[in-house]
Amino acid sequence: MLILVTGGTGYIGSHTVLALLDAGYEVLIADNYINSKPEALRRVRKLSGQDVPFALCDLRDEAATDALFAAHPDIEAVIHFAGLKAVGESVHKPFLYYDNNLKSTLNLLNAMQKYGVHAFVFSSSATVYGDPVSLPIREDAPLHVASPYGRTKLMIEEMLRDIAQADPAFRVSLLRYFNPVGAHPSGLIGEDPNGIPNNLMPFIAQVAVGKLDRLPIYGDDYDTPDGTGVRDYIHVCDLAEGHVAALKALTAPGVYTFNLGTGLGYSVFDIVHEYERACGHPIAYAMKPRRAGDVASCYADPSQARDTLHWEAKRDLAQMCEDSWNFQRNNPDGYNDD
């Protein structure tokens, strides 16, 4: 069974490709390297021992997307990671996010319909919940987005529901995941952000390795145990295994929605202190005022994924930090293959 993985050389995509290969699937990666580097593909091939097929393709190009499917008529399912993903950047460059994330997905879905591919696993996000009404967050919680990035995720979810309603053969799994962190235990693949990291753990990792001076912590006066924001951090390998579980379960027509998280909330200081244990030295930080749009706490109720997909996160915070640090210290400049 050939699975097309868009954005398959990115952080989550590359780990999911390895999980799919471990589960016995054939994989075709399509990427344009906007948020990734060719070295990630080389390392996936090294870890898997397979010459994983790759297509350099910008899904915003309708003809190129069509040609991708025409050249691979044995594609049976798509896992869609490709897209821009920085919340702050999306606020300043909304057109870029609407153009990239929506156009690429429309072209992809159009090609799927043309070539008779009916199974789709979508990389959605907990950002669709906005400031949660109650905790932990269930899949039936009210949806509210506060950024163009989040709006593109919600718009794509709605597109997929409409298409599934119109096409009785269409099978969709919407995976709303929380805060992916960590790296492959080999230390060969991990998170390698472009420029200054937008997310907490890769920022901490670059402070730990000496690339950045100190971690800014935005707000210490939230209604949380230590005043800093609380989030549900999930190991990227658990997340990757969740995608495989969702694909295996995608046997009946319709749209199925799952939270992928641990169900536990960790504060910024929880992460900092655990990372200090992993790397063996203090992490310098500086307190800053709250950022607009940040919420106090956000963590999942993952019981639906456990009960339906028979999946749950297994790796704890210590392993998340240890694996992140293992990748960072072995790759202080990331993949560094520009």
Side-chain angles (χ1 to χ4, degrees):
M1 183 177 186
L2 180 62
I3 313 300
L4 172 63
V5 181
T6 72
T9 59
Y11 174 46
I12 303 171
S14 59
H15 288 82
T16 301
V17 166
L18 285 176
L20 287 165
L21 294 170
D22 286 344
Y25 290 97
E26 296 178 75
V27 174
L28 167 64
I29 297 173
D31 211 317
N32 62 359
Y33 292 130
I34 283 182
N35 279 323
S36 61
K37 295 175 182 173
E39 179 62 20
L41 175 62
R42 288 191 283 271
R43 295 188 185 193
V44 165
R45 287 171 170 167
K46 179 178 180 178
L47 284 167
S48 67
Q50 299 184 43
D51 186 19
V52 183
F54 174 83
L56 184 63
C57 180
D58 188 334
L59 297 174
R60 291 173 298 176
D61 184 331
E62 185 175 2
T65 306
D66 185 276
L68 175 67
F69 280 80
H72 299 278
D74 49 344
I75 294 171
E76 294 186 46
V78 174
I79 300 181
H80 184 35
F81 293 105
L84 300 176
K85 60 179 183 176
V87 171
E89 181 185 56
S90 77
V91 173
H92 299 291
K93 300 179 180 179
F95 181 80
L96 178 65
Y97 274 68
Y98 290 123
D99 177 68
N100 187 92
N101 293 3
L102 299 183
K103 184 184 292 184
S104 61
T105 306
L106 283 169
N107 287 340
L108 182 61
L109 292 168
N110 188 54
M112 289 176 64
Q113 184 178 52
K114 178 178 177 180
Y115 291 94
V117 181
H118 297 110
F120 193 86
V121 178
F122 177 54
S123 166
S124 191
S125 167
T127 57
V128 300
Y129 296 118
D131 193 349
V133 175
S134 61
L135 295 169
I137 303 172
R138 291 163 42 96
E139 288 84 354
D140 58 2
L143 304 180
H144 173 74
V145 292
S147 70
Y149 163 73
R151 248 182 295 283
T152 64
K153 291 295 187 183
L154 186 54
M155 286 178 176
I156 292 169
E157 285 196 9
E158 291 171 347
M159 288 193 313
L160 292 168
R161 291 189 190 94
D162 289 341
I163 292 169
Q165 176 120 20
D167 182 352
F170 205 47
R171 311 188 305 278
V172 182
S173 190
L174 306 175
L175 302 184
R176 295 174 180 162
Y177 37 84
F178 284 66
N179 294 70
V181 295
H184 193 271
S186 66
L188 286 176
I189 62 170
E191 189 165 10
D192 181 23
N194 293 324
I196 302 296
N198 291 298
N199 297 324
L200 177 63
M201 191 170 288
F203 205 116
I204 292 174
Q206 291 195 13
V207 173
V209 84
K211 285 192 70 175
L212 297 172
D213 290 335
R214 62 188 61 246
L215 169 75
I217 298 178
Y218 297 99
D220 61 355
D221 57 351
Y222 287 105
D223 184 17
T224 62
D226 62 21
T228 65
V230 168
R231 299 292 183 269
D232 188 336
Y233 295 91
I234 177 172
H235 197 293
V236 67
C237 291
D238 280 325
L239 190 59
E241 290 162 7
H243 286 77
V244 176
L247 180 65
K248 288 180 177 178
L250 202 53
T251 57
V255 179
Y256 307 90
T257 306
F258 301 101
N259 288 334
L260 296 188
T262 64
L264 301 172
Y266 297 107
S267 74
V268 175
F269 282 136
D270 288 335
I271 305 298
V272 169
H273 297 325
E274 190 59 54
Y275 214 98
E276 289 175 333
R277 282 189 280 274
C279 71
H281 59 78
I283 301 296
Y285 64 85
M287 298 309 305
K288 303 286 185 180
R290 291 188 190 187
R291 294 180 297 191
D294 279 354
V295 302
S297 297
C298 179
Y299 53 92
D301 177 350
S303 58
Q304 189 157 292
R306 182 192 64 226
D307 296 342
T308 305
L309 303 181
H310 309 296
W311 167 93
E312 59 184 334
K314 303 188 294 284
R315 297 160 178 90
D316 63 11
L317 181 59
Q319 188 166 357
M320 298 179 207
C321 294
E322 288 164 8
D323 288 343
S324 169
W325 174 238
N326 188 37
F327 174 76
Q328 190 68 63
R329 70 182 174 185
N330 286 307
N331 303 272
D333 296 314
Y335 292 125
N336 195 28
D337 66 354
D338 289 335

